[in-house]
Amino acid sequence: MEQDYSQYPRHLVAVDCIIFGFDGEHLKILLVKRNFEPQLGEWSLMGGFVGNEENADEAAQRVLHTLTGLENIYLEQLNSYTEIHREPTARIISISYYALIHIEKDLQINENYSAQWFDLQNAPDLIFDHNEMVKDAVLRLRRRASTRPIGFELLPPKFTMKDLQNLYEAIFSETFDKRNFTSKINGMDILVKTDEKDMTSSKKGSFLYRFDEKKYNKKISQGFMFKM
Amino acid sequence: MEQDYSQYPRHLVAVDCIIFGFDGEHLKILLVKRNFEPQLGEWSLMGGFVGNEENADEAAQRVLHTLTGLENIYLEQLNSYTEIHREPTARIISISYYALIHIEKDLQINENYSAQWFDLQNAPDLIFDHNEMVKDAVLRLRRRASTRPIGFELLPPKFTMKDLQNLYEAIFSETFDKRNFTSKINGMDILVKTDEKDMTSSKKGSFLYRFDEKKYNKKISQGFMFKM
DNA sequence: ACAAAAGTGTTCAGTCTACACCCATGG
DNA sequence: CCATGGGTGTAGACTGAACACTTTTGT
């Protein structure tokens, strides 16, 4: 007996991307304004349907590439949202992903989507269940950020201790003591201090650091665990 | 402009369930022997297709009910597995769930599925990507078990400290010191000690405890966090 | 009386938290 | 020379880990 698949229903399957960025001060989220019905003109997550010739990860990368022009974006699958009426016009099963990107000057957002960065704090209401997706994504981001060095995905290659602390404060929505923060980071010994300084923030200037991924991987293989 | 959904492909969407149990000694997993091609006769997770009139959670509950006769099983969605060729005969997107159930004497497993409990340690190889699903589920179970009192889902309503310790040792694959374990549990103050004893394990007998869900919820609302 | 499991506290080490002053520099 | 942000150490509290003996009772 072979299984007959024709008796089972088939579903539209989409991916929706929660795109996080960091401007040095606040956690940001990239939203798009819908240019089709229903809910034309309202804000939503960037999404797209999963095609026949791609898996969901690839679909998410494609969608992100379409919007930002970037390749190999840091991406993690989150949850599936499967309520029958989660979208009013059709039953669509959606798999959510969160993405972490550097907000660089030369980042060229595709203008077709009327995309815009919002502070996570005062982002607009989103369509359908996208608010819930964002909420879930923030929780996951916090969890990941506390056990994996994913913060560096949101920073430029070189950054100051202050940048890093601002980032973690933004992610966790709490403030840290400067001395405790730096000694914790330095204690992990996964950054290299360059001999360059960022002179824009103060007269004295502050040293720039890089994340040393090689060293990190080596330490991991020796049993080290990142912990914030 | 309204979106035309007919141009997008539709997919078979399944749920696959990683069903955990506990026999007082070892973590167990309930597997079914496939009674259809392909891979007839091999072991797999229990699964089923998501219908048009149900969401994925409901599909998973339905599938579990079919197999075990139980209702309201503890269930959590895990991941989506979307590789194009993850099954050889059709493209099927699968959403995995893990379930926690008490293994009771009166549990009547549906005989049509040739289901069998295996020690997690020496479970057989599974079809497709089901081994990966199980691996992911164990990691999630550990993570959840360390921050939520889900262990009690796997135990009968009354249990001894030894049972509880055995369970956590099975979940985390490590052994704990008896004194540290009991004082940690007692310190959380979420169990009630009954005046009954389990006399089967020793001459002295050991007291039975119950999980006090009301007290737990109250403590949670006051900021308490479960931590193992 | 003895075997077998239940029950129970203390000490030590490491980690986390709170906290304040001097430094370097551009203007 | 002074205003601004950068950089640095220590003491006390707390938490997690190691560790051994007494109790109970059925046989």
Side-chain angles (χ1 to χ4, degrees):
Chain A
M1 181 174 82
E2 178 132 357
Q3 191 157 18
D4 172 20
Y5 294 117
S6 66
Q7 64 181 298
Y8 298 106
R10 291 165 185 265
H11 306 278
L12 292 165
V13 178
V15 292
D16 283 305
C17 299
I18 298 95
I19 307 170
F20 291 112
F22 180 64
D23 66 359
E25 199 68 29
H26 297 106
L27 253 195
K28 313 283 260 189
I29 181 171
L30 186 59
L31 300 173
V32 300
K33 198 185 266 182
R34 273 171 83 94
N35 54 3
F36 51 86
E37 294 290 354
Q39 262 100 330
L40 184 146
E42 294 192 42
W43 292 100
S44 92
L45 296 171
M46 181 70 184
F49 289 99
V50 176
N52 280 324
E53 308 299 332
E54 62 183 358
N55 63 33
D57 290 10
E58 288 159 354
Q61 283 286 357
R62 171 175 58 74
V63 161
L64 287 170
H65 178 77
T66 305
L67 181 62
T68 65
L70 298 173
E71 315 241 9
N72 293 319
I73 294 174
Y74 180 93
L75 208 54
E76 189 183 351
Q77 189 193 101
L78 290 166
N79 301 314
S80 299
Y81 298 82
T82 66
E83 289 299 326
I84 301 173
H85 299 294
R86 54 175 292 281
E87 301 204 19
T89 53
R91 193 212 178 150
I92 302 177
I93 287 174
S94 174
I95 304 173
S96 68
Y97 280 81
Y98 80 89
L100 305 181
I101 72 185
H102 311 285
I103 304 181
E104 314 252 353
K105 309 100 207 140
D106 61 345
L107 183 63
Q108 278 306 330
I109 305 289
N110 187 326
E111 292 179 1
N112 296 330
Y113 297 98
S114 320
Q116 194 174 314
W117 286 105
F118 289 90
D119 277 9
L120 194 55
Q121 311 301 336
N122 41 28
D125 245 24
L126 305 179
I127 59 168
F128 310 152
D129 49 4
H130 289 197
N131 291 309
E132 187 192 348
M133 290 184 180
V134 171
K135 218 181 65 202
D136 292 345
V138 171
L139 292 177
R140 180 75 139 261
L141 174 62
R142 280 188 192 151
R143 203 155 30 101
R144 271 293 175 279
S146 69
T147 55
R148 296 277 164 78
I150 60 170
F152 305 110
E153 302 287 339
L154 289 162
L155 290 170
K158 294 174 185 171
F159 48 84
T160 66
M161 271 293 169
K162 188 111 221 294
D163 292 335
L164 191 60
Q165 182 172 347
N166 284 345
L167 171 60
Y168 278 99
E169 291 183 340
I171 291 175
F172 294 115
S173 295
E174 57 184 300
T175 59
F176 302 116
D177 176 82
K178 182 171 55 160
R179 277 169 294 188
N180 291 340
F181 183 83
T182 56
S183 67
K184 186 180 225 170
I185 296 290
N186 286 329
M188 286 196 277
D189 188 29
I190 54 176
L191 297 189
V192 286
K193 187 180 197 166
T194 70
D195 49 9
E196 297 167 66
K197 280 189 164 187
D198 168 32
M199 300 307 294
T200 64
S201 61
S202 72
K203 334 264 169 143
K204 188 179 178 180
S206 57
F207 280 105
L208 291 168
Y209 292 80
R210 282 190 306 100
F211 173 53
D212 189 339
E213 194 168 354
K214 288 226 174 60
K215 189 186 252 181
Y216 170 75
N217 287 329
K218 189 169 161 218
K219 296 193 72 167
I220 283 288
S221 70
Q222 295 166 352
F224 168 75
M225 302 238 311
F226 180 91
K227 188 86 188 58
M228 276 303 297
Chain B
M1 181 173 84
E2 177 132 357
Q3 190 157 18
D4 172 21
Y5 293 119
S6 68
Q7 63 179 299
Y8 298 108
R10 289 163 185 268
H11 306 278
L12 292 164
V13 178
V15 292
D16 283 305
C17 299
I18 298 93
I19 307 169
F20 291 112
F22 181 64
D23 66 0
E25 199 69 29
H26 296 105
L27 253 195
K28 313 281 262 189
I29 182 173
L30 187 58
L31 300 173
V32 300
K33 198 185 266 183
R34 273 171 84 93
N35 56 4
F36 51 85
E37 293 290 354
Q39 263 99 331
L40 184 146
E42 294 191 42
W43 293 100
S44 91
L45 297 171
M46 180 70 184
F49 288 98
V50 176
N52 279 324
E53 308 300 331
E54 61 183 0
N55 64 31
D57 290 10
E58 288 160 353
Q61 284 285 358
R62 172 175 57 74
V63 161
L64 287 169
H65 178 76
T66 305
L67 180 63
T68 65
L70 298 172
E71 316 242 8
N72 293 319
I73 294 174
Y74 180 92
L75 207 54
E76 190 183 352
Q77 188 194 101
L78 289 167
N79 302 314
S80 300
Y81 298 82
T82 65
E83 289 299 325
I84 301 173
H85 299 294
R86 54 174 293 280
E87 301 204 19
T89 53
R91 191 205 180 157
I92 303 176
I93 287 174
S94 175
I95 304 174
S96 68
Y97 280 80
Y98 80 90
L100 305 181
I101 72 185
H102 311 285
I103 305 180
E104 314 252 351
K105 308 98 207 141
D106 60 347
L107 182 63
Q108 278 307 330
I109 305 289
N110 187 326
E111 292 180 359
N112 297 331
Y113 297 98
S114 320
Q116 196 175 312
W117 286 103
F118 289 90
D119 277 10
L120 193 55
Q121 310 300 337
N122 40 30
D125 245 23
L126 305 179
I127 59 168
F128 310 151
D129 49 4
H130 288 197
N131 292 309
E132 188 192 347
M133 290 184 181
V134 171
K135 218 181 65 202
D136 291 345
V138 171
L139 293 178
R140 180 76 140 260
L141 174 62
R142 279 188 193 152
R143 203 154 31 101
R144 272 293 174 280
S146 68
T147 55
R148 297 275 164 79
I150 60 170
F152 306 110
E153 301 287 340
L154 290 162
L155 290 171
K158 293 175 185 171
F159 48 84
T160 66
M161 272 292 170
K162 188 111 218 296
D163 293 333
L164 191 60
Q165 181 171 346
N166 283 346
L167 171 60
Y168 278 99
E169 290 183 340
I171 290 174
F172 295 115
S173 294
E174 57 184 301
T175 58
F176 302 115
D177 176 82
K178 182 171 50 160
R179 278 167 295 185
N180 291 340
F181 183 82
T182 55
S183 67
K184 185 179 224 170
I185 295 290
N186 286 329
M188 287 196 277
D189 188 30
I190 55 177
L191 297 189
V192 287
K193 187 178 196 167
T194 70
D195 50 8
E196 298 167 66
K197 280 189 163 189
D198 168 32
M199 300 307 294
T200 64
S201 62
S202 73
K203 333 265 167 135
K204 189 179 177 181
S206 57
F207 281 104
L208 292 168
Y209 293 80
R210 282 191 305 100
F211 173 54
D212 189 339
E213 195 167 354
K214 286 225 176 60
K215 190 186 253 183
Y216 170 75
N217 287 329
K218 188 168 160 219
K219 296 194 69 165
I220 282 289
S221 70
Q222 295 166 352
F224 168 76
M225 301 238 312
F226 181 91
K227 188 83 190 61
M228 278 302 298

